[in-house]
Amino acid sequence: MASATPLKDIDEQFLQCCICMEQLKEPKTLPCLHRYCQECLKKFAKKGAKKIQCVTCREQHTLPKDGIDGLKTDFNTKNIIEFIQLQDSVKVDPLRTCIHCKEKLKASAFCFRCNDFLCETCHEFHASSSMFKDHHPHIFSLSEAEASNLTVQKLSSLKEAPRCQAHSGKLSELCCTTCDNLPICMPCTYGEHKGHDLTEVTSLAKIQRELLRGKVADLMQYKEKAYQMQGEIGKTKEELDHNMKEDKLKRQEQLDAERERIQKGIRNAEEELEIKRAELEGEMRAKISKRKKDLENKMKKLREEYELVQEEERHEVDARFEKLREENKRGTERLQEELSVVNDEIVELLASLNTQEDGQARKVKKLSDHFEGIVKRLETVTTTVDCILSAGNDWADVQCIPDVCKAIDLLSEDVKKCSTGLGDLSAVEVRGLSQAVTIRRETGLSIDVESVIDIQNVTGWLGPSGITGNTDGSVALFGWATPHKERYLTIINMEGNLLQQKLISTTKPSISRKCSFLTQSQIAFVCDTDELGIYNMLDQSLKLVKGRDVITNWPPRQCVFSVTTDRANSTITVGCNNRNVYVFNNQLKHIKTIKLPACIKVATSTAMHEGSLLVCDLHSRKAFAVTVHGTASRVKYKFTKPTSGGGVWRPVSVCTDQNGYVYMVWWEDGCGSVLVQYSRDGGQIEKMRELMREEHENLKIHAMTSVQTNQGEKLLLVKSKQILVYALA
């Protein structure tokens, strides 16, 4: 770093206000070290505002009590600007009124102590007379104004010490470190600043400069990393664009293949129908021919009988053919329906991919802007430090260097966090090809439990009340360790091995411990009476918000009861112990509030299903599918209750599989629990499995979910300290 910076090497943009794009006037410095005109900041900041955003790096800063006036003046920059203005004024009009002889002559020098011009004769007298001995260090010969080696340090030595703010007629002699290095005169040491820490300016400036050099040395360790991160962002964006393009091509190819397969099936069915028809026609002709031969000798007598038989056979053939045609029509309609489903899901998938691509582009743009701001701040710090260390202005340094050090500390922390933002770009989830375009098949439950996962040794808890399955075979459980005290969010694999575990402390007892995968690496959950959170499996970070803090008019006795997610739209839906349902985005920002129909009292368990919200209401003993568009929900259809045991059943938990089937667990005291598989539209019970008849609360099924594994999709049911695994075939 140079010991003295020539004025000619200072970039004009360094002295330019980024708001008015003119030379700085009364420059005020923000904590990020960017400078602006005092009046420009007043116009830019809203009246009465407590914070202001930097125009250059977009950092938010808290204003002092005095507002813009309370911001520190950049004395070094102000001195440079004043000198440049002095140079420009002499170039325009070299004739100036001398402060001594009062004659308008060519100016020879400028006395910064007198703050006025001197002619050549008065300059010599002023510089040699003992009467003006204290002015000698502050006299500047205008012949040096154009010198190429004129430095900031030379200019700083010409300026006198600042005036005391309390006694404007006196020069400052000391710095009060108690009052943020405020310049004061000697009388102040006996008055307002009596008992404060007072320091001689030269020694204090030396200490501050050494501190600044150390801070700058630490900051330079991150300089190269900051520039490298900009390059990595661009490279990552190119890779994402390339991967998105390849995924779209693969999905289009698979769609074309599925269309061709279905169309081929339709053609085969039509050909098979024609073959069957030909066979039936052949059978008919053979029978008629045989009968005709047998009746040839009795033709006259049996003609009427012959015609009747012929008519009967014709009706039979027509009926059988009509039956085959109806079967073929139903098969064709089913294949057309499957083709329509494939088309709809591909359109939905492509729309989801476009949405994710747009979101990814916004993230890249936001991250790029953030690093551009960091680089601008880094360049501003470097230029500011060069100027301060080159000037060697003790008074200005003790005022500016503490703020510069604070700015460097903040900048260093921001640079250390550079890699975190870049890592988020890889968190975008794209559904698998097979899941997105696989035609829905008939799905059924296995008769027996395929396997049992023992979770007692994994968690050591009393039991989970929330479970959610991922697309990679991992399972998240949410429950309590001791009654109503601590909650654990635990991730295991299908073998029951522990992958991760997060302790979530709580201050209020509640029964709400539900969770749902938002992405392949993020889990949304609810707990306490009004707490919503997201756990990130990648960095094991936890983000929590309270409903009453982010939603106005939160009812006093309202509690969260359930949570479900929509991966395609990156939204979280939270049900409560009333008709209110709240929708949040993946940053836990409240999007809207939905009012459930009056027939629903409590959203005990919820799940998203083909654009609808499935709701189990334990209180009213009913289950519904409702709309989620707008703020007023309506019932689309009601689920049929099970009839086993003849009791009054209550819906407890609901989930769906990848083929669109709905699964629901129902309770009834004295009758145990049953698992019901519903049709895709929820209107009919397709299969029902009796699970158990134990009446003890700990032996009932409390929650369930579906999960994708290498062996196909599975249905998981939580029973006390075990997970029952059913195969979906």
Side-chain angles (χ1 to χ4, degrees), residues 592 594 610-612 626-634 636:
K592 66 176 179 178
I594 301 174
E610 297 183 348
S612 302
V626 300
T627 62
V628 291
H629 301 295
T631 58
S633 179
R634 63 178 180 82
K636 293 182 68 175

Side-chain angles (χ1 to χ4, degrees), residues 436-499:
V437 297
T438 298
I439 295 178
R440 291 174 171 172
R441 306 296 183 189
E442 295 297 325
T443 303
L445 288 168
S446 59
I447 298 177
D448 299 319
V449 175
E450 184 178 78
S451 61
V452 177
I453 304 174
D454 187 1
I455 57 176
Q456 172 63 25
N457 296 330
V458 175
T459 60
W461 53 22
L462 296 179
S465 62
I467 184 172
T468 179
N470 207 350
T471 57
D472 61 357
S474 59
V475 180
L477 303 166
F478 196 25
W480 64 93
T482 56
H484 309 303
K485 290 295 182 182
E486 305 292 348
R487 287 155 177 76
Y488 281 97
L489 187 60
T490 302
I491 297 91
I492 63 174
N493 58 20
M494 289 298 292
E495 287 73 39
N497 299 322
L498 180 64
L499 303 179

Side-chain angles (χ1 to χ4, degrees), residues 414-594:
D414 288 344
V415 176
K416 289 179 183 178
K417 298 175 183 178
C418 285
S419 60
T420 302
L422 186 59
D424 292 339
L425 295 178
S426 62
V428 174
E429 178 179 354
V430 179
R431 290 183 296 174
L433 290 173
S434 59
Q435 179 181 353
V437 297
T438 298
I439 295 178
R440 291 174 171 172
R441 306 296 183 189
E442 295 297 325
T443 303
L445 288 168
S446 59
I447 298 177
D448 299 319
V449 175
E450 184 178 78
S451 61
V452 177
I453 304 174
D454 187 1
I455 57 176
Q456 172 63 25
N457 296 330
V458 175
T459 60
W461 53 22
L462 296 179
S465 62
I467 184 172
T468 179
N470 207 350
T471 57
D472 61 357
S474 59
V475 180
L477 303 166
F478 196 25
W480 64 93
T482 56
H484 309 303
K485 290 295 182 182
E486 305 292 348
R487 287 155 177 76
Y488 281 97
L489 187 60
T490 302
I491 297 91
I492 63 174
N493 58 20
M494 289 298 292
E495 287 73 39
N497 299 322
L498 180 64
L499 303 179
Q500 288 188 30
Q501 190 170 56
K502 183 71 174 181
L503 175 63
I504 302 175
S505 300
T506 182
T507 57
K508 298 179 182 178
S510 73
I511 62 173
S512 301
R513 295 168 294 273
K514 303 296 175 63
C515 56
S516 179
F517 271 101
L518 179 59
T519 67
Q520 195 163 350
S521 60
Q522 292 180 315
I523 305 170
F525 63 88
V526 292
C527 61
D528 269 356
T529 57
D530 66 339
E531 200 163 68
L532 170 65
I534 294 179
Y535 174 66
N536 192 320
M537 295 168 57
L538 297 179
D539 56 11
Q540 299 187 11
S541 61
L542 188 66
K543 183 176 182 180
L544 294 170
V545 298
K546 287 189 174 294
R548 65 186 72 252
D549 294 337
V550 298
I551 299 174
T552 56
N553 301 323
W554 181 273
R557 297 183 179 180
Q558 178 172 273
C559 300
V560 293
F561 252 57
S562 61
V563 63
T564 186
T565 55
D566 185 347
R567 292 196 180 191
N569 297 314
S570 298
T571 57
I572 306 169
T573 302
V574 177
C576 300
N577 59 339
N578 51 31
R579 292 167 55 199
N580 291 334
V581 171
Y582 300 99
V583 183
F584 299 81
N585 64 13
N586 57 6
Q587 300 298 318
L588 298 184
K589 300 296 183 182
H590 179 232
I591 299 175
K592 66 176 179 178
T593 301
I594 301 174

Side-chain angles (χ1 to χ4, degrees), residues 14-82:
F14 183 72
L15 306 176
Q16 187 182 63
C17 173
C18 292
I19 297 178
C20 65
M21 303 307 293
E22 296 180 359
Q23 195 176 70
L24 289 164
K25 305 176 191 66
E26 194 61 29
K28 290 291 185 178
T29 305
L30 295 178
C32 61
L33 302 186
H34 290 121
R35 307 161 182 79
Y36 306 95
C37 301
Q38 182 174 349
E39 289 304 317
C40 290
L41 286 177
K42 288 183 177 180
K43 294 177 182 178
F44 180 73
K46 295 181 180 179
K47 187 176 181 180
K50 296 182 180 180
K51 291 188 176 182
I52 187 172
Q53 184 181 44
C54 177
V55 177
T56 303
C57 66
R58 301 182 181 88
E59 287 290 311
Q60 288 279 354
H61 304 295
T62 302
L63 291 172
K65 293 182 179 179
D66 298 338
I68 300 299
D69 293 334
L71 293 172
K72 286 191 175 181
T73 300
D74 189 342
F75 291 110
N76 276 321
T77 304
K78 185 177 180 181
N79 290 343
I80 295 172
I81 293 173
E82 288 177 353

Side-chain angles (χ1 to χ4, degrees), residues 108-295:
S108 174
F110 187 88
C111 179
F112 282 93
R113 188 69 181 273
C114 300
N115 198 29
D116 213 334
F117 292 93
L118 298 167
C119 67
E120 185 173 1
T121 303
C122 295
H123 173 204
E124 294 176 359
F125 174 74
H126 207 75
S128 59
S129 174
S130 60
M131 186 187 336
F132 301 103
K133 183 178 180 179
D134 57 340
H135 289 225
H136 294 172
H138 306 292
I139 300 173
F140 176 67
S141 175
L142 296 181
S143 62
E144 300 179 11
E146 297 298 330
S148 60
N149 60 349
L150 182 60
T151 64
V152 177
Q153 183 176 13
K154 172 63 177 176
L155 175 61
S156 176
S157 66
L158 296 172
K159 301 291 287 187
E160 63 178 352
R163 298 283 176 176
C164 176
Q165 292 185 2
H167 306 89
S168 59
K170 294 183 177 293
L171 295 176
S172 299
E173 299 181 50
L174 296 172
C175 281
C176 178
T177 56
T178 304
C179 299
D180 199 16
N181 296 345
L182 182 69
I184 62 173
C185 62
M186 289 304 296
C188 287
T189 62
Y190 304 104
E192 181 182 352
H193 298 274
K194 184 177 180 179
H196 289 192
D197 292 332
L198 306 177
T199 309
E200 191 271 326
V201 65
T202 303
S203 60
L204 179 59
K206 182 178 179 181
I207 294 173
Q208 295 289 353
R209 290 189 190 104
E210 290 301 322
L211 176 62
L212 177 61
R213 289 188 177 94
K215 294 286 185 180
V216 171
D218 293 338
L219 177 62
M220 289 302 103
Q221 298 177 8
Y222 304 106
K223 182 175 182 180
E224 182 179 353
K225 181 178 179 181
Y227 285 102
Q228 288 178 348
M229 291 306 297
Q230 281 189 309
E232 291 184 14
I233 291 173
K235 182 178 179 181
T236 302
K237 182 178 182 301
E238 291 178 0
E239 292 177 355
L240 287 172
D241 292 341
H242 178 71
N243 292 339
M244 284 290 184
K245 185 176 181 181
E246 286 189 349
D247 286 344
K248 287 183 179 179
L249 291 176
K250 290 180 180 178
R251 283 156 176 73
Q252 189 61 47
E253 290 175 358
Q254 192 164 6
L255 171 62
D256 294 340
E258 287 294 331
R259 283 176 176 168
E260 178 62 27
R261 187 185 66 78
I262 293 173
Q263 291 172 354
K264 182 178 179 181
I266 294 173
R267 291 194 299 269
N268 291 339
E270 292 174 347
E271 292 175 358
E272 185 177 352
L273 176 63
E274 290 299 323
I275 293 173
K276 291 292 185 181
R277 180 174 180 172
E279 291 177 354
L280 289 175
E281 290 286 352
E283 292 178 4
M284 180 192 70
R285 288 192 294 270
K287 287 183 178 180
I288 293 174
S289 177
K290 185 176 183 297
R291 291 285 185 94
K292 185 178 180 181
K293 289 180 180 179
D294 293 341
L295 297 174

